[in-house]
Amino acid sequence: MMNRALSFFGLGYVGLTSAVCFASRGFKVIGYDADPQKIELINSGKPPFYEPQVEDLLGEALGSGLLSCTHSPAGAVEGSHITFITVGTPSNLDGSINLEQVKSASKQIGQALSGKGDYHLVVVRSTVTPGTTENVVKPIIEGYSGRRCGEGWGLCFNPEFLKEGSAVRDTFNPDRIVIGEFDRTSGDMLEELYRGFYGDEMPKTIRTSPINAELVKYANNAFLAMKISFINMMANLCQKLPEADVEVIAEGIGLDKRIGPLFLKAGAGWGGSCLRKDLEAILDYALKNHVELPLVEATLKVNNAQPYRLVELAKGLIGELDGKRISVLGLAFKPETDDMRDAVSIKIVKRLLEEGARVAVYDPKAMENARRIFGESVEYSGSIEDCLRGSECALIVTEWDEFRKLTSQDYIKLMKIPAVVDGRRIYDAESFSSKLRFAAVGLGEKRYYNPALAVNAIITKGDGILLVRRGIEPFKGLWSLPGGFIEYDETVEDSLIREVKEETGLDIKPIRVLGVYSQPTRSPTKHVVTICYQCSILSGEVKPSNENIEARFFAVENLPEQLAFDHLTIIRDHLKSKR
Ligand code: UGA
């Protein structure tokens, strides 16, 4: 069977990716886009967006002569047998779908079809609300071509399920193909095209009416978004429960075959150009049909609030953000794309700025897009290192691989005070929280059974030792610098001693503060503190600035367990035992 020639109206992610994939399997493809600059760019071998493999495939397709882009919509239709409509369907301000580009493409195709001799198939691939293919696309093409659908031309709605960042892979390996056909001839022609494209690996294909196919697309995106919002809702519950971890919950439910493991990654919320747009469009559409979609509403509600959870976690770690330098790692709405449309990073950065933070941002691909959104309001870092240097808290917003590779030591080395909010659950929580201030979406507070972990400061003088809980002024808000101990000057020391004296009623002599190291406390009422540096110091990884720290370890190791959460008792008993 000869390969059909194809044309694509709209050369965005879906159009261009599909075009180069078809060309890579020997199909002749003509691209058309209303934006002439896009056509020029593509013809010169540059995709107007970043998407893995697309640039390579585009180069090959242009090189082989199988792909060409034209400024003439009529030429695109005339030179092909099948035309895909892959234009954007953005939202209007009220959330309803904007079909202007679909209408305009339909008009151009209709005009071109009026003079075309052979049979032509039109395939709507843009996401459109139920009924659009039948009630908008069909009458426009009929009107401009002067031919009824079925007379020399056919029509299908054929949803795409490509994910940005893996659009090429998804094109070659779809879970299924859904064909919403106006008549059997149209459906047969489209199925035959896909059989030619996939060969022996033809995915399961559903043939149905256009309205069902249109609904499948919306139901699909709504369900995916609902899955993510569901796990984010659970994450928010976990965060309040000591020892809870949403990652375990996701694994636990994901192994149930009825639920499945995918799209259960809790995080900063879902973004991107599709999910919100589609959920709002289907809500608006349902409302106009007097139907409520409460699950879709709840899905949006959870997601609207989710990005701000990261800012709250940051405040839990380092207190008020005013004047502090905060690093945002990751701006794209997901890894492997430069797309920032509806990215959660936008909400997060804006909230950080509202809180008075100085924001430094870094993304491997999305910096150019970020400049258009944030203007002069943030610092654009050229590397992860630049972004983290001198910072007081880092937020992981997009889970790029290069962020995954960072170790706690990297943060410790670079940051002024290392504190990390893992908004995408890319780090080993146990290892990170033992080394620096750490909070993660969906991670409940850890209980520290080791009494050593309840100690904030150790003050020694000769044999004397004092263990100080966090929260006592002037230690409030002060943290040790990992990699070394802070030595406080006399004034700080004096006032600390005074306060401890007042609290314990014990006669304490001025003594020397050796070091402080605090565990991130997610609850303002608990003062969970760690001296995890004990291990690193003993293993020689970290050199304390003060050599005389033996007493500290000895005393801490011998603390009775039940006292772990009652710091004043710890202090009192230890002082008593030292008398
Ligand atoms: C989504 C759908 O997944 C595609 O099937 C669909 O074709 C496409 O919309 C569309 O309508 O065109 P896309 O928006 O490109 O694809 O990317 P997703 O992989 O779905 O990610 C969307 C957002 O959800 C991202 O911000 C991602 O970080 C977030 N996400 C995803 C999570 O927070 N958790 C997860 O478990 C999965």
Side-chain angles (χ1 to χ4, degrees), residues 14 127 160-166 170 176 217 220-221 224-225 227-228 231-232 261-275 277-278 303 332-335 339 342-344 397-399 424:
V14 175
T127 299
E160 54 80 22
F161 303 103
L162 313 182
K163 300 184 293 300
E164 282 181 33
S166 58
D170 294 348
R176 74 314 204 178
K217 171 67 191 192
N220 207 79
N221 270 0
L224 290 174
K227 253 186 130 177
I228 308 169
I231 203 67
N232 283 338
L262 303 178
F263 274 63
L264 282 182
K265 185 84 184 160
W270 42 265
S273 66
C274 303
L275 298 186
K277 166 181 83 79
D278 291 352
N303 200 59
F333 86 97
K334 60 184 285 190
D339 195 348
D342 208 25
V344 295
V397 177
T398 314
E399 63 276 35
R424 294 291 178 184

Side-chain angles (χ1 to χ4, degrees), residues 53-102:
Q53 299 181 59
V54 166
E55 189 161 359
D56 291 348
L57 289 177
L58 175 61
E60 287 167 23
L62 292 169
S64 66
L66 283 168
L67 174 73
S68 61
C69 294
T70 171
H71 292 280
S72 157
V77 174
E78 275 153 24
S80 60
H81 305 102
I82 301 177
T83 296
F84 286 89
I85 299 180
T86 47
V87 295
T89 49
S91 300
N92 291 314
L93 281 178
D94 63 358
S96 63
I97 190 167
N98 181 323
L99 291 171
E100 286 316 308
Q101 296 178 47
V102 172

Side-chain angles (χ1 to χ4, degrees), residues 369-401:
N369 286 331
R371 276 177 211 277
R372 282 192 273 274
I373 295 167
F374 302 129
E376 301 297 305
S377 62
V378 300
E379 180 190 313
Y380 299 95
S381 309
S383 64
I384 299 179
E385 289 74 18
D386 283 353
C387 191
L388 290 179
R389 201 165 286 122
S391 179
E392 295 185 44
C393 188
L395 273 60
I396 305 294
V397 177
T398 314
E399 63 276 35
W400 286 96
D401 267 352

Side-chain angles (χ1 to χ4, degrees), residues 439-458:
V441 165
L443 186 68
E445 195 175 326
K446 283 257 167 271
R447 278 211 189 98
Y448 295 96
Y449 295 106
N450 181 347
L453 299 181
V455 180
N456 186 331
I458 298 121

Side-chain angles (χ1 to χ4, degrees), residues 323-331 345 348-350 352-353 356-363 367 370 374 376-397 403 415:
K324 292 182 179 156
R325 181 186 160 92
I326 308 293
S327 312
V328 172
L329 292 181
L331 299 168
S345 63
I348 292 171
V349 166
K350 288 194 172 151
L352 290 171
L353 292 169
R358 292 180 293 123
V359 181
V361 300
Y362 173 74
D363 187 283
M367 296 303 268
F374 302 129
E376 301 297 305
S377 62
V378 300
E379 180 190 313
Y380 299 95
S381 309
S383 64
I384 299 179
E385 289 74 18
D386 283 353
C387 191
L388 290 179
R389 201 165 286 122
S391 179
E392 295 185 44
C393 188
L395 273 60
I396 305 294
V397 177
F403 304 151
M415 295 175 73

